Amino acid sequence: MNPLLVHNPATGELIATLPVDDDNSVAAKAVRARAALPGWRATPMVEREACIARFAALVKAQIEPLAAVMTRETGKPIQMSRNELNGFLGRIDFFLSQAESCVKTETVFDDGSMTERIEHTPLGLVANISAWNYPWFVGGNVFVPALLTGNVVLYKPSEFATLSGLEMARLLHGAGVPSDVFIPLVGGGSVGAALMEQEIDGLFFTGSHATGVRIARILGPRMVKLQLELGGKDPTYVCEDAAVKNAAQSLADGAMYNTGQSCCSVERVYVHASIYDAFVAHFVETVKGFKIGDPMLDDTYIGAITRAPQLDVLDAQVADALAKGATLLCGGKRLSGPGNGYEPTVFSDVNHSMELMREESFGPIIGIQKVTSDEEAVHLMNDTRYGLTAGVFTPNRERAEKLLAQINAGSVYWNCCDRVSPRLPWSGYGDSGIGLTLSTYGIQTFTRPKAWHLREP
Ligand code: NAD
């Protein structure tokens, strides 16, 4: 097996060479995890909670080195790496506060002779195949509630965030989670494929639609619980009564944060014609103010494109938009120098014939389209195969709620964007996936509700 070569996407430098798993080692890890299941399942909730609380304390104590690891392997600007780790601690707090009540056995009927009860039993062996763009968030959304609810976890971090994945394992084990209860796997797609061949009780995937479809085809006939958190092409509509400058600044951040590599990045903007020119001017001014540079520096806002092949996707979307008549307002090409850099890119005069408005860009590039009515905006926002998030900017809450009720998206935003809350479910419509994480539902999803019918003799 060739080792996994980890490169810093901002410099091209080789930063680690890791031995990878193969079919045999994946199978052996699955056997170890399965054997550890009865013991972990029988461990009292209070002890499992104590492990996760100690894990959080270890993460908190090591935010700086953990942020540096994440930035070096993904090119994420260091402040955003710190933000992710701090946000991750908030998510753990939420899970710790809710896990016990989520799995408490409920008596839903009792008339003296018949009792009906719901018991939340762990799924068992949970496989998690994860993405690189927010490794702590998307990994933790699965393994924290899965472990709390008594499951054992085989965790395959993305090959572009493996060093962070191994840090998660190191700290979980240091916090007292047995080494067979949480086991990391190292490697790319072939290791993910080998993981699916094992006797697993749930597969929780975060990544691209193309890989999600491949996984669903394989696991579908096996009746394994499957969750797929996939991509998006998330729209926002700016009404004519919106505070133009605020909306432009907020949406420029929503489009370009994490160098545009968020599943809920703003990917399409629709602006009412009466404020279109002013909005576009503020938007471009904001984008031009974003500091591009070394992700390790505190003031860098635009870092690296983590996966080099994505540069070709961005080039193709730019060429397609230009060929179909869009106006390029800034950016439009790769940054010179080492590493995978792309200029923050803004287009106006775009339409839905362009790839830029139809397919996930996953980079610092955005199209702004003019609309003349709420009806047109709703039609265009729903004209997509995805449905992760969508937003509306207007001071009028009633109007916003009426508009957002018509949008096919798992999360909807009024006067905000690119936002995730641990208290709310995270899910998508259409090709954005199936299942959910976060919220109390995102804890119960790691359990099987077992129905008890008990009749007194
Ligand atoms: P990807 O599909 O390329 O890879 C995801 C994971 O799948 C990796 O661990 C990879 O090794 C593994 N994999 C690849 N081929 C496989 C196969 N044949 N069998 C099993 N596993 C396989 O996606 P990515 O580039 O890591 O992530 C980017 C995508 O993830 C974007 O589309 C983004 O929108 C999406 N994403 C979605 C969410 C969400 O919550 N909905 C969150 C983060 C990222």
Side-chain angles (χ1 to χ4, degrees):
M1 264 304 206
N2 291 330
L4 177 64
L5 304 179
V6 181
H7 290 94
N8 180 334
T11 62
E13 176 201 0
L14 179 68
I15 54 174
T17 303
L18 302 172
V20 296
D21 276 290
D22 58 21
D23 290 358
N24 290 336
S25 68
V26 172
K29 287 179 175 183
V31 169
R32 273 170 51 202
R34 174 71 58 193
L37 179 60
W40 185 248
R41 192 182 159 141
T43 301
M45 171 63 95
V46 61
E47 282 177 36
R48 298 198 296 253
E49 286 170 338
C51 286
I52 296 299
R54 284 194 295 270
F55 167 65
L58 291 174
V59 172
K60 191 172 179 182
Q62 297 178 41
I63 288 212
E64 277 308 309
L66 295 174
V69 167
M70 181 162 32
T71 289
R72 286 179 73 220
E73 70 178 335
T74 65
K76 185 192 290 275
I78 190 77
Q79 285 291 14
M80 298 178 192
S81 292
R82 293 182 187 123
N83 290 349
E84 180 174 342
L85 286 156
N86 281 309
F88 177 64
L89 293 174
R91 291 189 187 187
I92 292 181
D93 286 345
F94 170 78
F95 289 133
L96 283 173
S97 71
Q98 299 297 320
E100 198 168 343
S101 56
C102 280
V103 298
K104 204 162 174 236
T105 298
E106 302 160 66
T107 298
V108 291
F109 179 80
D110 184 355
D111 68 357
S113 67
M114 173 63 93
T115 306
E116 297 175 355
R117 198 194 284 163
I118 303 172
E119 182 195 7
H120 300 277
T121 62
L123 290 177
L125 200 171
V126 164
N128 181 203
I129 300 178
S130 201
W132 47 265
N133 59 333
Y134 287 92
W136 289 83
F137 277 155
V138 295
N141 288 352
V142 174
F143 68 71
V144 174
L147 290 171
L148 281 172
T149 50
N151 299 279
V152 295
V153 178
L154 288 175
Y155 172 58
K156 199 202 83 59
S158 163
E159 57 272 43
F160 298 97
T162 304
L163 297 176
S164 293
L166 294 175
E167 290 292 341
M168 294 170 207
R170 179 177 68 83
L171 298 181
L172 282 165
H173 298 155
V177 175
S179 56
D180 286 355
V181 165
F182 179 89
I183 308 182
L185 305 177
V186 175
S190 61
V191 175
L195 175 54
M196 288 191 295
E197 295 301 315
Q198 310 310 313
E199 190 199 330
I200 54 177
D201 300 305
L203 189 287
F204 293 73
F205 171 79
T206 309
S208 63
H209 174 260
T211 309
V213 168
R214 247 177 250 135
I215 288 175
R217 280 208 185 102
I218 291 169
L219 283 189
R222 281 176 46 196
M223 306 302 154
V224 168
K225 173 155 183 169
L226 179 60
Q227 283 203 180
L228 302 169
E229 300 214 335
L230 311 177
K233 191 70 195 167
D234 297 1
T236 298
Y237 169 39
V238 185
C239 301
E240 77 291 338
D241 55 359
V244 181
K245 190 172 177 185
N246 282 351
Q249 289 175 337
S250 169
L251 289 169
D253 181 48
M256 304 288 171
Y257 190 87
N258 205 33
T259 318
Q261 300 168 108
S262 307
C263 52
C264 51
S265 285
V266 175
E267 289 242 348
R268 300 179 279 151
V269 183
Y270 303 96
V271 180
H272 196 275
S274 61
I275 56 161
Y276 186 79
D277 292 344
F279 177 91
V280 168
H282 286 303
F283 194 99
V284 171
E285 188 191 347
T286 307
V287 169
K288 285 186 172 166
F290 290 149
K291 175 110 189 319
I292 304 168
D294 177 355
M296 289 303 285
L297 299 178
D298 280 355
D299 60 349
T300 294
Y301 182 90
I302 297 286
I305 299 297
T306 307
R307 290 175 59 257
Q310 199 63 19
L311 295 168
D312 295 336
V313 173
L314 299 177
D315 279 344
Q317 290 196 348
V318 167
D320 175 71
L322 287 172
K324 290 173 178 161
T327 305
L328 178 64
L329 299 170
C330 64
K333 59 183 192 312
R334 301 175 188 212
L335 291 166
S336 56
N340 312 328
Y342 210 88
E343 293 176 347
T345 300
V346 182
F347 280 102
S348 62
D349 305 316
V350 295
N351 61 55
H352 278 213
S353 74
M354 301 171 186
E355 287 293 302
L356 173 65
M357 299 301 277
R358 305 206 70 86
E359 284 308 320
E360 192 177 46
S361 305
F362 227 55
I365 166 172
I366 187 83
I368 308 175
Q369 181 165 352
K370 194 182 284 182
V371 295
T372 54
S373 69
D374 289 2
E375 292 69 29
E376 185 185 9
V378 168
H379 169 73
L380 289 170
M381 290 165 90
N382 279 335
D383 180 25
T384 176
R385 65 192 180 98
Y386 295 106
L388 197 57
T389 82
V392 168
F393 277 70
T394 169
N396 183 335
R397 180 169 178 163
E398 197 183 331
R399 179 181 179 187
E401 291 199 18
K402 190 171 156 219
L403 289 167
L404 292 171
Q406 299 171 66
I407 304 298
N408 305 324
S411 296
V412 292
Y413 303 125
W414 176 42
N415 292 332
C416 56
C417 57
D418 189 24
R419 181 177 192 279
V420 181
S421 163
R423 296 170 292 278
L424 293 172
W426 188 249
S427 69
Y429 282 43
D431 283 355
S432 290
I434 52 174
L436 58 84
T437 49
L438 298 175
S439 79
T440 52
Y441 297 100
I443 299 173
Q444 288 183 331
T445 195
F446 297 99
T447 67
R448 221 185 291 272
K450 185 167 181 170
W452 290 75
H453 306 242
L454 302 168
R455 188 187 294 285
E456 295 291 338

